[in-house]
Amino acid sequence: MDYAFLGQSPPDRWWETVGSWLFLDAEELVVSRRDRRTTGLLLSGIPSQRRDVIGTRIRYTVVVDEVHDDPGLATWLIRCGLEDEARERLGRALDEGYDADYVDAWLAGTGSADSASHDGSPQEVERRLLAAVREGASAAPDDTAGGNDRRGSWAGGIQDPGAREAFRIRALRLLQDSRPGIAFTTHALGTTEGAWRMAQALSLEVAVLLHDSDMARVVSLSQGSAAATAVSGGKAPIPVGRRDASRYRSPQLLILAVTLALAMAWAIWWLTG
């Protein structure tokens, strides 16, 4: 019973568009503009100071539909998705807003405290959530300053400051612009080829930051830009298609493998007489 949505479960799990590339028990951020009308935001891996029944540190996932209606809140949550310190601050605010007794009572289906302000209703859950995140947002610097959004789909490493800034600008555009698109971070991709295949599998403009990659610049994922533009070789698995086969095609590695096989065959023949 340890993990479930508090309050009303989101009626539309819109983030599942990129669900194959999300590890929601880790730090992920998704900003999605859909159908030219509404923008949703998902932020996962928000650390709590509490632990679950087997001692694992609890991590919150927050989903906000129609987040474009509150730009200040949205820009703060985007900051939390890109900066560890901001994410930690949000976790502390959520711990204060959702004490352990309240959460346990909700998950157990027994309601909450005996006052109307702690009635355990979906409206109460939402009120607490908004109070917690707005507390963090009120102390945050202004992140609404714009910039020139890169054209088309692209990928970058989350360790690269330029890529993080480009991602922030794209996410802000998705809050304001009617053009559909999605921006997200991922632990599931580690190479430019894997990111390119992901972009081809989606039918919308995408910007992606790779956690497990040492990419040093932003790379276009437009049609025809495949693996020749790769600048990194992360170790994370690629969840669609096959693994990057280019790393196994080196002639030197092939020669070494053949040499080792011949040496092993000779050793076996010598030992067995």
Side-chain angles (χ1 to χ4, degrees):
M1 75 175 210
D2 290 327
Y3 294 96
F5 278 108
L6 298 179
Q8 201 168 20
S9 181
D12 176 17
R13 299 193 175 219
W14 48 263
W15 60 91
E16 291 184 354
T17 300
V18 293
S20 296
W21 302 282
L22 296 178
F23 293 166
L24 294 183
D25 55 346
E27 298 83 1
E28 303 285 33
L29 170 64
V30 185
V31 182
S32 176
R33 183 82 179 189
R34 299 163 290 143
D35 303 327
R36 300 182 181 274
R37 293 191 302 272
T38 182
T39 302
L41 183 148
L42 178 145
L43 179 61
S44 69
I46 306 167
S48 170
Q49 297 303 308
R50 299 197 293 270
R51 297 183 179 273
D52 66 13
V53 293
I54 61 172
T56 303
R57 190 177 186 185
I58 291 170
R59 294 183 180 274
Y60 296 103
T61 293
V62 169
V63 176
V64 185
D65 289 330
E66 301 182 9
V67 70
H68 58 284
D69 287 339
D70 194 334
L73 174 65
T75 54
W76 163 241
L77 291 175
I78 291 169
R79 186 184 186 91
C80 292
L82 299 176
E83 298 181 8
D84 292 341
E85 182 179 349
R87 191 184 304 108
E88 290 275 357
R89 190 184 313 129
L90 176 57
R92 292 193 293 271
L94 290 172
D95 280 346
E96 293 177 3
Y98 296 98
D99 60 83
D101 290 342
Y102 176 88
V103 172
D104 289 345
W106 176 270
L107 292 176
T110 59
S112 188
D114 54 3
S115 67
S117 62
H118 296 75
D119 60 8
S121 67
Q123 293 77 18
E124 166 65 8
V125 171
E126 181 177 344
R127 184 192 68 77
R128 288 181 176 227
L129 172 61
L130 291 176
V133 294
R134 283 176 174 148
E135 178 184 344
S138 65
D142 182 14
D143 282 344
T144 58
N148 294 324
D149 185 27
R150 288 179 174 269
R151 292 181 177 272
S153 296
W154 55 264
I158 201 168
Q159 295 82 7
D160 174 27
R164 288 199 307 273
E165 177 61 12
F167 184 94
R168 187 188 69 85
I169 293 171
R170 172 63 62 87
L172 291 177
R173 196 213 79 196
L174 292 173
L175 297 175
Q176 304 162 0
D177 197 347
S178 62
R179 189 162 80 251
I182 192 164
F184 71 102
T185 68
T186 178
H187 286 78
L189 297 172
T191 67
T192 303
E193 183 179 358
W196 180 83
R197 293 205 305 272
M198 173 275 299
Q200 304 315 304
L202 298 175
S203 59
L204 70 170
E205 194 174 65
V206 59
V208 59
L209 288 182
L210 281 57
H211 281 275
D212 298 318
S213 172
D214 57 359
M215 295 174 67
R217 61 184 176 88
V218 173
V219 177
S220 172
L221 299 178
S222 59
Q223 186 71 33
S225 66
T229 61
V231 295
S232 69
K235 298 179 180 178
I238 300 171
V240 292
R242 56 183 175 80
R243 286 179 177 267
D244 180 0
S246 62
R247 68 184 69 180
Y248 305 111
R249 295 174 184 160
S250 166
Q252 292 84 356
L253 289 179
L254 179 60
I255 292 170
L256 177 60
V258 172
T259 302
L260 288 174
L262 290 174
M264 290 177 64
W266 180 86
I268 292 171
W269 174 84
W270 183 82
L271 289 173
T272 59

